[in-house]
Amino acid sequence: MENVTSKENKLSKSVRSNVVINLIRTLTITILSFITFPYITRALGDEVFGLYSWANSFVYYFLILAKISIPNVAIREVTKVKDDKEKMATTVETFFTLQGITTLISFLLMSILVFSIPDLYSSNEIIFLLSINFLAGVFSFEWVYIALEKHFYITVRSIMLLAFSAALTFIVIRPSSYSQNYLYIYALVAISSTILTSIINCILLPRYVKFTFKGKHDYKSLIGPLITLFFLSFALTLYNQTDEFLLGFIDPSKASVGSYSVGVKGIDIVITLITSLYAVFMPRASYYYEKENKYFYKNLLRYSFNITFFIAIPAIATMTTLSTPITSLISGSDLSSSYKGANYILITLSTMMLTYSLGDNIYTEILLPAKKERYYLYGMLFGVTLNVALSLLLAYIPFKDNPGVGVAIATMATDVILLIYLVIISREYSLQAIINFNNLKILIFGIIIAIATIFIFPLLESSLSGLIKSKESTLLVAGLIMLLIDALIYVGGLALVKERLVSSIFRKKENNNG
């Protein structure tokens, strides 16, 4: 029993350290994004920034098609053979070749569409410039480093490159009336981190993998799963990008796309923060499931879903109650002349920080290890159909004056329905990880900080308005103070009711002091 307990503690510490490292990386990325994003939205303006977002969403379709979830499957397969250098090299070679082929096919398909559709051809320069992002991604081999759990390296590299990209943004882009001139410059800056990541990863790769292409590459056994993954990636891409892409056609000026991008920015950051932890949990979940170790597997799921609630609930509480200050700060606008409706879009989509993240947990930690990707495909296909139908209906009829809000409502409703479906098909493992007393504690204190923000923030804003002349500075300072108050209420309250994550931190401190 002592050996089992000792092993469990060792594994738990390893997982926790990897979680902390990944959170540091993603939080740093979040901070850099919050610094650069408002600057870019102001420098480019809603129409030019909307054009960039629209073109980027179109290219993203083919980025996902190029990958067709190959990295996720590659992580699972490399994890299984990482102790055998020869088998690992052969596995890496196999998936690298497959991704190279799918990327070329995806790029050719994209090129055909661009030259065939007038609306796309008119923006072909920015589209092809952004496509460098997924062409360079073939050589990133990020999935190898994730499978080998090189989280410290990934974190240090990511922070350095994104800091470089952020600095470059401020150096080369200047707000002016000629914002169109900076469209291509910003696109080059945006893709620079992917290009540099691929170069650095390729340089270091020989330390872990020796390419020979002499081993037996089993492509036949992957044909069936890859067909499923192809359709899954297509459906997933449509599901994730339909909102902004549809808005680009509904509103030819692309201003609605700009408003939508501002409204969804904070939500995307939180979702990225949570879902980035798949790099920690997916390899471990695949390993435990493969070894049929249900005890460690269920504990891992509870821990993972616990973190999702811990981050998403307070984010929902604060973003919904501070939606107008947040979107005003990001856009540098009063939302009446430009980026109209961004605050309502933020409120509508805020629940996706929980629903989408939980859905991703189920897919990467339950369905993928169990090789049940097809169930996720069925859900995505239904979700895409429902999302497109609802988006068009709401954007053209009840919300024709503000189509971004209509599309946001459709996206939110679809995501809730999809999560219900995913929970049902994975209920053996997901229900216990989602519905438990610990997550109820988190939900209760999320409601408490939401109520506190509604009453306290207006008082802070009015008190500071007489001391600080700038309205933007007033909102920023009041918002930061409010977030600090919310954090104290949230963490302090959870510590009092002995919530698991917070309690484990305090126990660790006590043990260190002892």
Side-chain angles (χ1 to χ4, degrees):
M1 183 69 183
E2 289 182 7
N3 290 334
V4 174
T5 304
S6 177
K7 188 176 181 181
E8 182 181 354
N9 290 335
K10 186 177 180 180
L11 289 168
S12 297
K13 287 179 181 178
S14 176
V15 172
R16 284 196 200 102
S17 63
N18 289 336
V19 167
V20 170
I21 290 170
N22 273 271
L23 285 175
I24 290 171
R25 174 173 64 88
T26 313
L27 283 170
T28 305
I29 294 170
T30 301
I31 293 168
L32 290 173
S33 180
F34 261 116
I35 292 172
T36 57
F37 190 82
Y39 182 81
I40 288 299
T41 58
R42 299 172 197 184
L44 298 183
D46 56 355
E47 291 190 9
V48 175
F49 182 71
L51 174 59
Y52 169 84
S53 299
W54 180 74
N56 197 44
S57 67
F58 174 72
V59 172
Y60 189 77
Y61 281 108
F62 299 92
L63 168 66
I64 298 299
L65 286 176
K67 291 182 176 181
I68 60 167
S69 291
I70 286 175
N72 286 340
V73 179
I75 291 169
R76 184 181 69 195
E77 297 304 317
V78 172
T79 300
K80 293 178 183 178
V81 298
K82 64 182 179 181
D83 295 327
D84 187 322
K85 296 294 183 183
E86 290 185 8
K87 285 184 179 180
M88 186 176 77
T90 302
T91 303
V92 172
E93 290 166 0
T94 300
F95 283 101
F96 169 64
T97 304
L98 286 171
Q99 192 169 333
I101 293 169
T102 56
T103 299
L104 285 175
I105 294 172
S106 181
F107 181 75
L108 287 173
L109 179 60
M110 186 196 79
S111 301
I112 291 170
L113 289 175
V114 169
F115 287 109
S116 302
I117 301 174
D119 283 348
L120 294 173
Y121 183 73
S122 64
S123 305
N124 71 86
E125 295 94 345
I126 185 64
I127 288 173
F128 281 113
L129 183 58
L130 289 170
S131 69
I132 296 173
N133 207 32
F134 77 82
L135 292 173
V138 179
F139 302 95
S140 74
F141 294 100
E142 193 78 345
W143 42 274
V144 176
Y145 293 93
I146 291 172
L148 297 177
E149 300 190 62
K150 302 297 178 182
H151 300 293
F152 182 76
Y153 157 70
I154 294 172
T155 297
V156 172
R157 186 213 62 219
S158 299
I159 290 173
M160 290 179 65
L161 292 182
L162 286 167
F164 170 75
S165 179
L168 206 59
T169 299
F170 290 110
I171 292 170
V172 301
I173 297 175
R174 290 282 184 270
S176 70
S177 57
Y178 304 101
S179 57
Q180 182 75 35
N181 297 340
Y182 288 112
L183 176 62
Y184 304 106
I185 297 173
Y186 177 61
L188 281 170
V189 171
I191 66 177
S192 64
S193 59
T194 301
I195 296 171
L196 291 172
T197 294
S198 297
I199 293 171
I200 295 170
N201 281 359
C202 282
I203 292 172
L204 297 178
L205 191 64
R207 293 185 180 184
Y208 311 105
V209 181
K210 304 292 183 183
F211 284 95
T212 62
F213 287 96
K214 294 180 180 179
K216 186 178 180 181
H217 299 87
D218 184 14
Y219 295 105
K220 288 184 179 180
S221 65
L222 294 172
I223 292 175
L226 282 177
I227 292 173
T228 301
L229 289 171
F230 171 78
F231 288 108
L232 174 58
S233 297
F234 184 71
L236 187 60
T237 305
L238 288 172
Y239 185 76
N240 288 332
Q241 298 299 312
T242 295
D243 40 15
E244 291 186 15
F245 192 61
L246 273 179
L247 275 174
F249 287 104
I250 294 169
D251 179 8
S253 73
K254 306 295 188 292
S256 293
V257 184
S259 297
Y260 198 91
S261 298
V262 167
V264 81
K265 181 60 180 177
I267 293 166
D268 279 345
I269 289 172
V270 174
I271 289 175
T272 301
L273 175 66
I274 298 171
T275 57
S276 67
L277 294 176
Y278 92 99
V280 176
F281 293 114
M282 183 184 164
R284 290 295 179 100
S286 298
Y287 179 80
Y288 291 148
Y289 192 90
E290 180 72 16
K291 299 297 181 183
E292 297 183 355
N293 193 330
K294 288 192 175 183
Y295 178 76
F296 284 139
Y297 181 62
K298 288 183 177 180
N299 280 343
L300 185 75
L301 291 179
R302 280 196 293 270
Y303 183 54
S304 170
F305 283 57
N306 189 187
I307 290 175
T308 297
F309 271 85
F310 185 80
I311 298 173
I313 292 299
I316 293 170
T318 53
M319 285 194 188
T320 52
T321 52
L322 297 175
S323 60
T324 300
I326 289 172
T327 49
S328 296
L329 283 171
I330 290 175
S331 64
S333 169
D334 62 4
L335 306 181
S336 60
S337 56
S338 61
Y339 299 105
K340 184 181 177 182
N343 53 334
Y344 299 117
I345 291 169
L346 173 57
I347 292 171
T348 305
L349 294 175
S350 62
T351 55
M352 286 186 67
M353 289 183 281
L354 181 63
T355 57
Y356 186 91
S357 299
L358 288 175
D360 190 74
N361 287 147
I362 293 170
Y363 171 53
T364 58
E365 297 166 34
I366 299 176
L367 299 181
L368 266 178
K371 297 184 180 180
K372 293 182 178 179
E373 300 93 339
R374 65 186 183 281
Y375 294 110
Y376 195 60
L377 170 61
Y378 303 151
M380 282 293 119
L381 290 173
F382 172 76
V384 169
T385 305
L386 181 62
N387 195 10
V388 171
L390 284 177
S391 293
L392 292 173
L393 177 66
L394 295 176
Y396 276 117
I397 300 177
F399 295 95
K400 60 183 179 181
D401 294 330
N402 199 341
V405 175
V407 171
I409 293 172
T411 303
M412 178 272 296
T414 303
D415 207 62
V416 171
I417 294 169
L418 181 59
L419 176 62
I420 294 170
Y421 161 76
L422 291 174
V423 171
I424 291 172
I425 63 172
S426 63
R427 58 189 177 277
E428 180 183 357
Y429 296 109
S430 62
L431 276 177
Q432 291 180 351
I434 294 173
I435 304 173
N436 54 65
F437 187 56
N438 192 69
N439 289 338
L440 179 61
K441 295 175 185 177
I442 292 173
L443 181 61
I444 290 170
F445 277 93
I447 294 171
I448 289 172
I449 63 172
I451 295 170
T453 304
I454 290 171
F455 288 102
I456 297 174
F457 182 77
L459 298 176
L460 286 172
E461 188 179 3
S462 61
S463 300
L464 292 170
S465 60
L467 302 173
I468 304 173
K469 294 182 180 180
S470 169
K471 184 179 179 181
E472 286 187 4
S473 298
T474 301
L475 288 175
L476 180 61
V477 174
L480 290 173
I481 294 172
M482 191 67 247
L483 288 177
L484 180 61
I485 293 170
D486 284 343
L488 290 172
I489 295 171
Y490 184 66
V491 176
L494 290 178
L496 287 174
V497 297
K498 297 182 179 180
E499 188 275 331
R500 287 175 185 169
L501 283 176
V502 177
S503 296
S504 66
I505 295 171
F506 285 107
R507 279 200 303 269
K508 189 174 180 181
K509 287 183 178 180
E510 288 173 5
N511 292 335
N512 290 338
N513 292 333

